[in-house]
Amino acid sequence: SKGEYKHFMLKETFEQPTVIKQCLEGRISATKVLDQAFGVKAADILDQVEAVQIIACGTSYHSGMVTKYWIEKYAGIPCQVEVASEFRYRHTVIAKNTLLITISQSGETADTLAALRKAKEQGLLASMTVCNVPGSSLVRESDLCLMTNAGPEIGVASTKAFTTQLTALLLLTVALAKRNGMSEAAETEIVTALHQLPGLVEKALALDPVIEKISQLFADKHHSLFLGRGPMYPIAQEGALKLKEISYIHAEAYPAGELKHGPLALVDEDMPIIAVAPKNDLLEKLVSNLEEVKARGGELFVFADESVNLYDLDDQHLVSLPTVPCCLEPIVYIIPLQLLSYHVAVLKGTDVDQPRNLAKSVTVE
Ligand code: F6R
């Protein structure tokens, strides 16, 4: 039941601190990622991984995109990500000792399942699914499974499934990185951060009233542009997907550095620009992109670290987030974007839990 909440999506959004805890349960100690997190057969397989291929659709594809940044950064293993409907129908080349990872809330997405079957025929080291539904087709047909333990997700717009996928995939990243030279200190840093994650998500959720207020500025908009850099680019993509699927506002995401290669031409006072700006080494570059937007009359909505002073943008709409360890930025910064699309949809009066033309589980292609 929805309990005190008006929609399943809102309930599921607010469940995130709890389900992230559930996802971490029994998988980390105070300082380490436990090998048992990935099942008894895993250690042997993870020792041999030389390449990672991720396959997924929609929101699950976006968690794959974030994971690519993580795996290449921390584990130094090449990682490719592709939407399942493309992968399954093209001539693919699978590198030696590839771990193929499917990501899926339902475990029943037809294209993802077909892509897994095709890749198995081509020859893999092993397949793993990161999945939320025990006993689902992807779980049954994969060698390894990493359950997200988010509990049933009813709202069509995926929220808690996404953040638990990311949590589980960060654990997997560490498991691979340890085998490729990650120091104990670096592992401890990430695990310590993971212990703080439910609390940080809680703090992001506490921004709800601020975001609800801001959402009023979107209700009459027809288009929007989401910007991010690095692992925040897929977060911009996920924020744009949320907005379009439940509020029906056209939303596009760009890596901020691509702005001047075309989309800057779209910017005027009717085009809200939403940016995710945690405090990391790409912040300065992002801010200079945002200044370009401002100079062209664009209206900016910036979700930024509370400890950075964005003087030049302070006449724009700024929402401050707590300082977040770098590895957790994608998981924390998606929260305000989920809330934003929720409130915009409520204002527009759409069917938030059952948006038009969409199904929760896409079991036909
Ligand atoms: C977006 C959404 C869809 C799904 C996609 C994949 O909010 O829910 O884009 O993410 O259909 O579904 P799963 O993860 O079940 O394979």
Side-chain angles (χ1 to χ4, degrees):
S1 100
K2 289 181 280 203
E4 59 186 290
Y5 294 98
K6 211 169 135 197
H7 296 98
F8 281 107
M9 182 190 174
L10 191 63
K11 172 174 178 261
E12 289 159 3
T13 299
F14 275 87
E15 272 173 8
Q16 288 175 109
T18 310
V19 295
I20 287 170
K21 242 179 257 167
Q22 244 162 250
C23 176
L24 291 169
E25 181 95 41
R27 291 176 169 162
I28 50 174
S29 69
T31 57
K32 297 250 163 329
V33 172
L34 307 173
D35 250 357
Q36 73 204 41
F38 313 96
V40 281
K41 290 188 294 183
D44 213 35
I45 291 169
L46 296 180
D47 284 346
Q48 300 171 64
V49 176
E50 286 175 51
V52 174
Q53 171 72 58
I54 297 176
I55 292 168
C57 303
T59 290
S60 298
Y61 168 73
H62 296 147
S63 51
M65 287 280 293
V66 171
T67 305
K68 175 187 170 78
Y69 285 88
W70 284 340
I71 288 185
E72 297 203 347
K73 172 180 177 177
Y74 295 113
I77 295 172
C79 177
Q80 305 205 51
V81 194
E82 193 163 350
V83 289
S85 56
E86 284 300 310
F87 185 92
R88 69 176 288 196
Y89 290 120
R90 70 180 185 89
H91 189 98
T92 47
V93 178
I94 304 231
K96 187 170 147 259
N97 285 331
T98 290
L99 175 67
L100 181 114
I101 303 174
T102 56
I103 308 173
S104 175
Q105 189 287 128
S106 63
E108 303 295 347
T109 301
D111 282 323
T112 310
L113 192 57
L116 167 66
R117 289 175 183 157
K118 174 197 158 168
K120 280 164 95 174
E121 268 169 34
Q122 275 192 273
L124 296 169
L125 169 66
S127 58
M128 173 187 272
T129 188
V130 175
C131 188
N132 195 40
V133 177
S136 60
S137 302
L138 284 172
V139 168
R140 281 183 277 117
E141 296 193 26
S142 302
D143 301 314
L144 302 174
C145 67
L146 181 52
M147 300 309 297
T148 44
N149 298 339
E153 192 181 62
I154 311 290
V156 164
S158 194
T159 52
K160 63 177 182 169
F162 180 66
T163 47
T164 51
Q165 285 166 353
L166 288 175
T167 304
L169 285 158
L170 186 54
L171 297 178
L172 179 69
T173 300
V174 173
L176 289 169
K178 274 163 52 164
R179 292 164 160 87
N180 285 276
M182 174 180 263
S183 68
E184 282 191 24
E187 177 181 7
T188 298
E189 200 180 312
I190 295 180
V191 174
T192 306
L194 280 165
H195 283 288
Q196 297 168 22
L197 179 57
L200 289 165
V201 170
E202 202 78 71
K203 282 191 184 158
L205 287 167
L207 295 169
D208 190 46
V210 181
I211 294 166
E212 184 172 6
K213 215 160 149 223
I214 281 185
S215 67
Q216 294 167 2
L217 302 167
F218 278 80
D220 62 341
K221 295 287 196 291
H222 298 286
H223 305 278
S224 60
L225 205 54
F226 285 69
L227 300 176
R229 275 180 178 262
M232 303 311 286
Y233 164 48
I235 293 308
Q237 290 181 297
E238 173 60 7
L241 178 61
K242 288 285 92 88
L243 192 68
K244 67 186 111 174
E245 71 182 325
I246 61 170
S247 79
Y248 315 151
I249 293 176
H250 171 219
E252 266 198 88
Y254 267 94
E258 274 290 292
L259 211 52
K260 52 165 80 67
H261 300 286
L264 203 50
L266 291 169
V267 173
D268 63 15
E269 62 281 6
D270 294 326
M271 174 71 95
I273 316 282
I274 299 95
V276 269
K279 187 182 176 179
N280 57 29
D281 48 12
L282 295 169
L283 181 67
E284 216 178 299
K285 297 239 179 282
L286 176 70
V287 170
S288 78
N289 301 135
L290 299 183
E291 282 164 355
E292 285 164 357
V293 167
K294 189 185 149 185
R296 280 152 188 89
E299 186 178 14
L300 283 165
F301 296 81
V302 187
F303 296 89
D305 189 294
E306 62 191 4
S307 74
V308 295
N309 260 318
L310 299 173
Y311 292 118
D312 296 339
L313 301 176
D314 64 6
D315 56 334
Q316 303 291 305
H317 310 287
L318 296 180
V319 178
S320 295
L321 275 86
T323 299
V324 178
C326 154
C327 61
L328 302 183
E329 286 163 356
I331 311 177
V332 176
Y333 275 74
I334 192 56
I335 306 290
L337 302 188
Q338 294 169 343
L339 291 169
L340 180 68
S341 59
Y342 173 76
H343 289 299
V344 176
V346 169
L347 280 173
K348 294 197 68 180
T350 63
D351 189 345
V352 173
D353 285 333
Q354 286 280 315
R356 64 187 184 197
N357 313 338
L358 299 179
K360 181 65 185 160
S361 184
V362 185
T363 54
V364 291
E365 64 169 301

